[in-house]
Every structure is written in structure tokens, then in C-alpha cells.
């Protein structure tokens, strides 16, 4: 890996010498945040991260960088020199069983580091990494214990949420964008990364045997080697959800047509349903086609933006839980847990 510039899996380019590397429109790496590290270790670390950025997802790359920087290079543990078996075992001794997964993420980075033969790590750590027995991230506890704050919603809570959202939109407490986001997250139980990747062309309506069929093509997430919107899965939706999304699409089209009147219908079909308006304002209109092709997530809301929208919706929610007597906490994770629990309640497993 001797080139000065590299391109991430999401087609964002960075210079190896830059302090900040932009991986995609949601994740970046700031090398100024790495503490005092020996020059050889820092060079090997950067070379490994650069190659990972070219080969694996931006989120996984950023996770590996963050965990290694935050934990293994902690000044309380790392005192200089190459990464050694002693340092790894010393860090492991500080972890309880619920946090051992962090070392698992670091291990994947170190294995790449060794395989690609960059300097900065002792060769004998390979045996140490192989001998490590680590527990994975704890999953399912909130659902198993029926946690009223982070677990699945009860049937009453589900009804309360839907009634609140409809009333909040009518009273303009929720914007159209927030209402469409809420309804898509709730009704489809898909990850935020999938919903923010939606485009105008994904929403369809057709007539089959004199019946209206509404569907939405939802991009898949967490696919090994998958790129942004590389795979989609069609999902049949209700007319209510279709109309909400169409209204959101019409609002996006209206905004874009005022800023970019020269776009044709084919261009408009590739607009995000949840548009990053600041990115559109900054973009040179003549570059639209190349931006959509070369950096396809550029005009979509970032992960931080949709996380902020989730929090805003949750703060506005005044639907009351019968279990806690307090406001219901809305999160996409709870909606996913809710869908899984509802399927089990109806005897459907293995989905």
C-alpha cells in the first residue's frame, strides 16, 4: 500500500497525509484524536485502516479505528513501542464478559495488520490472538426481560404511539419528514441505514387483478461486501403508508425543483426520500449525475442526522406507557424488537 490517495468502498477519496479521512457521508476518521503513539505504530495503524477503508464497510472501518484508538492505545495501558501480546492480555484483564466483544473488534483489525505485513506489531501476537476466547456482544436481554424502556412495545403502547403520531402530525408537532420517518421505521421495522437510503424510484404502485398493490424496495444492510444500495428487497405496504411517503416525496421534489429546475424525470427518480438539503445547496448542479454515480450517499441524510431526528421524535412523544406511567421512548431498535416479538406472538419463527 504505497499510494498517496485511496478510495473507500463508498467511493470517497482521501489523501493518506490528511488529518481527517472521510469514509462516507456519515463516518470519518480524525487522526488528531489519536494520542501519543510511536511513529512506526501510527504508520502501520494508518496503512491498515486505509486498506480496510478500501475493502470493508465504512462503519466497520470506523469501529475498528475507534476501538483500537480508544481502548488499546489508552495511555493507562499503552506506554510506547510496538503492539505486543502483553498489551493485549493486559487490556483483556480489564474487561468483564459483557465487554469482551470490544477486544473482538480490535482483534479483527490486528489480524489484518499482520496479514498485510505492516510494521508496528510484534509477530508473536498472532498466537495470542488465536488463543483468545471472547464472548460476543450481549443480545436479546431487553426482549427476554420485557424491559419497559428498551424492549418491545405492548399492544397498548403500539396503539398509543400510532394515535399520538397521527395527532401530532395533524397539530404540526411533527413535520411531514418526521412523520414519514416515524411511520416507515415503525411499519417496516427496518434499520435507519436502510430507510435513509430510500429513493423516489423505490416507491411503486400497480394494479393487479383490479386491486391496488403498493410496495417499496428497501435497500439491504449489513451484507458482506455489499455497497450502498447494491441490493434491495421489495416489501408490500399499506395504502396509508404509501400516501404518507408520496407526500414526503412530493415535498422533496418541490424543494429540488426550486433549486435545480433543469433536472429531468430520470434524475428526479434518483432523489433521496430523506434529502440532505445542505448537501444539495453545496452541490454544483451540473455535477448531479456524477455525484449520484460516484458518491451515491452524498445527498442522503447522514447517520447522525437521522439519529438526531429519532431523538427529536422521542422528545416530542407524549404517549403514555401503561407499564411505567411515563412517556413512551421511541427508538428504531425498539421497533425492530417489536416486530420480532409480534411475529413470535403469532407463532412465526426463523424469519
Amino acid at each position: 500500500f504505497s499510494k498517496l490517495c485511496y478510495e473507500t468502498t463508498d467511493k470517497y477519496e482521501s489523501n493518506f497525509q490528511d488529518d481527517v479521512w472521510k469514509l462516507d457521508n456519515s463516518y470519518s476518521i480524525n487522526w488528531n484524536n489519536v494520542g501519543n503513539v510511536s511513529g512506526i505504530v501510527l504508520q502501520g495503524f494508518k496503512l491498515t485502516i486505509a486498506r480496510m477503508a478500501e475493502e470493508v464497510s465504512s462503519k466497520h472501518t470506523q469501529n475498528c479505528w475507534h476501538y483500537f484508538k480508544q481502548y488499546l492505545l489508552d495511555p493507562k495501558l499503552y506506554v510506547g513501542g510496538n503492539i505486543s501480546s502483553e498489551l493485549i492480555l493486559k487490556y483483556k484483564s480489564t474487561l468483564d464478559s459483557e465487554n469482551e466483544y470490544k477486544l473482538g473488534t480490535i482483534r479483527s483489525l490486528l489480524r489484518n495488520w499482520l496479514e498485510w505485513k505492516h510494521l508496528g506489531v510484534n509477530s508473536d501476537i498472532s498466537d495470542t490472538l488465536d488463543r483468545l476466547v471472547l464472548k460476543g456482544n450481549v443480545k436479546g436481554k431487553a426482549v427476554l426481560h420485557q424491559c419497559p424502556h428498551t424492549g418491545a412495545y405492548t399492544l397498548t403502547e403500539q396503539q398509543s404511539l400510532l394515535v399520538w403520531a397521527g395527532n401530532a402530525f395533524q397539530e404540526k408537532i411533527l413535520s411531514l419528514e418526521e412523520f414519514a420517518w416515524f411511520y416507515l421505521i415503525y411499519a417496516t421495522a427496518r434499520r435507519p441505514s436502510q430507510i435513509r437510503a430510500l429513493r423516489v424510484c423505490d416507491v411503486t404502485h400497480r394494479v393487479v387483478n383490479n386491486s391496488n398493490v403498493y410496495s417499496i424496495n428497501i435497500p439491504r444492510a449489513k451484507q458482506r461486501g455489499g455497497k450502498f444500495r447494491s441490493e434491495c428487497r421489495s416489501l408490500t405496504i399499506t395504502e396509508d403508508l404509501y400516501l404518507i411517503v408520496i407526500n414526503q416525496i412530493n415535498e422533496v421534489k418541490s424543494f429540488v425543483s426550486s433549486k435545480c429546475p433543469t433536472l429531468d424525470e430520470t434524475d428526479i427518480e434518483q432523489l433521496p426520500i430523506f434529502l440532505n438539503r445542505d448537501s444539495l445547496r453545496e452541490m454544483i448542479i451540473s455535477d448531479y449525475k456524477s455525484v449520484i454515480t460516484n458518491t451515491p450517499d452524498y445527498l442522503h441524510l447522514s447517520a447522525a442526522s437521522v439519529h438526531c431526528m429519532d431523538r427529536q421524535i422521542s422528545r416530542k412523544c407524549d404517549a403514555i406507557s401503561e407499564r411505567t406511567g411515563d412517556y413512551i421512548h421511541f427508538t428504531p431498535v425498539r421497533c425492530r424488537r417489536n416486530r420480532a416479538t409480534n411475529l413470535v406472538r403469532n407463532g412465526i419463527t426463523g424469519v
Side-chain angles (χ1 to χ4, degrees), residues 9-27:
T9 54
D10 290 299
K11 299 187 178 181
Y12 282 71
E13 291 187 357
S14 287
N15 188 300
F16 187 79
Q17 303 300 330
D18 290 343
D19 291 330
V20 179
W21 296 358
K22 192 169 179 62
L23 304 179
D24 63 13
N25 81 333
S26 297
Y27 301 104

Side-chain angles (χ1 to χ4, degrees), residues 36 42 48 65 110 170 172 176 235 243 245 299 349:
N36 292 324
L42 181 60
T48 305
W65 173 83
L110 290 174
Q170 287 185 337
K172 298 186 178 180
L176 175 58
L235 181 70
L243 293 175
V245 176
L299 291 177
T349 59

Side-chain angles (χ1 to χ4, degrees), residues 79-311:
V79 293
N82 284 357
I83 304 302
S84 63
S85 296
E86 290 77 16
L87 176 63
I88 294 169
L89 295 175
K90 188 177 180 181
Y91 174 57
K92 185 179 186 300
S93 69
T94 67
L95 300 173
D96 56 29
S97 60
E98 291 191 0
N99 286 288
E100 285 186 352
Y101 73 91
K102 295 175 182 176
L103 184 51
T105 301
I106 294 171
R107 177 168 60 180
S108 69
L109 168 68
L110 290 174
R111 280 179 168 160
N112 286 332
W113 198 327
L114 287 166
E115 181 183 347
W116 297 331
K117 299 179 180 179
H118 299 313
L119 299 177
V121 294
N122 293 339
S123 58
D124 64 347
I125 71 169
S126 180
D127 291 336
T128 302
L129 295 176
D130 290 340
R131 288 198 303 269
L132 287 177
V133 179
L134 305 173
K135 291 188 177 180
N137 197 1
V138 177
K139 297 179 180 179
K141 182 184 290 187
V143 175
L144 183 64
H145 295 168
Q146 298 181 345
C147 176
H149 303 288
T150 60
Y153 301 116
T154 64
L155 293 175
T156 303
E157 288 171 340
Q158 294 175 48
Q159 293 169 353
S160 298
L161 268 177
L162 290 174
V163 170
W164 165 79
N167 291 337
F169 175 60
Q170 287 185 337
E171 295 168 9
K172 298 186 178 180
I173 296 172
L174 289 180
S175 67
L176 175 58
E177 183 178 56
E178 290 172 332
F179 186 51
W181 178 263
F182 167 87
Y183 220 115
L184 277 165
I185 289 288
Y186 180 87
T188 67
R190 292 319 194 256
R191 294 181 175 87
S193 60
Q194 294 174 273
I195 301 303
R196 70 184 180 87
L198 289 172
R199 290 184 177 173
V200 172
C201 60
D202 293 325
V203 183
T204 60
H205 164 233
R206 66 185 190 279
V207 178
V208 179
N209 296 328
N210 295 322
S211 297
N212 291 311
V213 177
Y214 306 99
S215 60
I216 186 168
N217 288 321
I218 299 184
R220 301 189 69 185
K222 301 186 79 170
Q223 301 300 302
R224 185 175 294 276
K227 297 183 179 180
F228 187 75
R229 288 182 54 84
S230 60
E231 296 180 54
C232 293
R233 178 174 290 173
S234 181
L235 181 70
T236 301
I237 58 176
T238 64
E239 183 179 8
D240 286 344
L241 179 55
Y242 172 81
L243 293 175
I244 292 168
V245 176
I246 286 297
N247 282 328
Q248 168 64 14
I249 287 173
N250 289 338
E251 186 174 271
V252 168
K253 287 181 177 179
S254 176
F255 176 81
V256 172
S257 64
S258 66
K259 305 294 180 183
C260 317
T262 59
L263 296 184
D264 58 31
E265 192 60 33
T266 303
D267 296 332
I268 290 174
E269 286 290 300
Q270 296 303 317
L271 286 171
I273 293 177
F274 297 98
L275 177 69
N276 188 327
R277 302 188 180 205
D278 290 335
S279 294
L280 182 71
R281 292 187 185 100
E282 295 170 0
M283 185 187 70
I284 301 173
I285 304 307
S286 58
D287 292 342
Y288 178 84
K289 284 184 171 63
S290 64
V291 167
I292 289 294
T293 303
N294 297 327
T295 51
D297 68 338
Y298 180 76
L299 291 177
H300 293 253
L301 286 182
S302 67
S305 296
V306 298
H307 179 63
C308 181
M309 183 154 55
D310 287 328
R311 287 188 297 172

Side-chain angles (χ1 to χ4, degrees), residues 70-85:
Q70 189 74 15
Y71 302 116
L72 209 61
L73 296 183
D74 185 336
K76 296 177 182 177
L77 296 175
Y78 178 76
V79 293
N82 284 357
I83 304 302
S84 63
S85 296

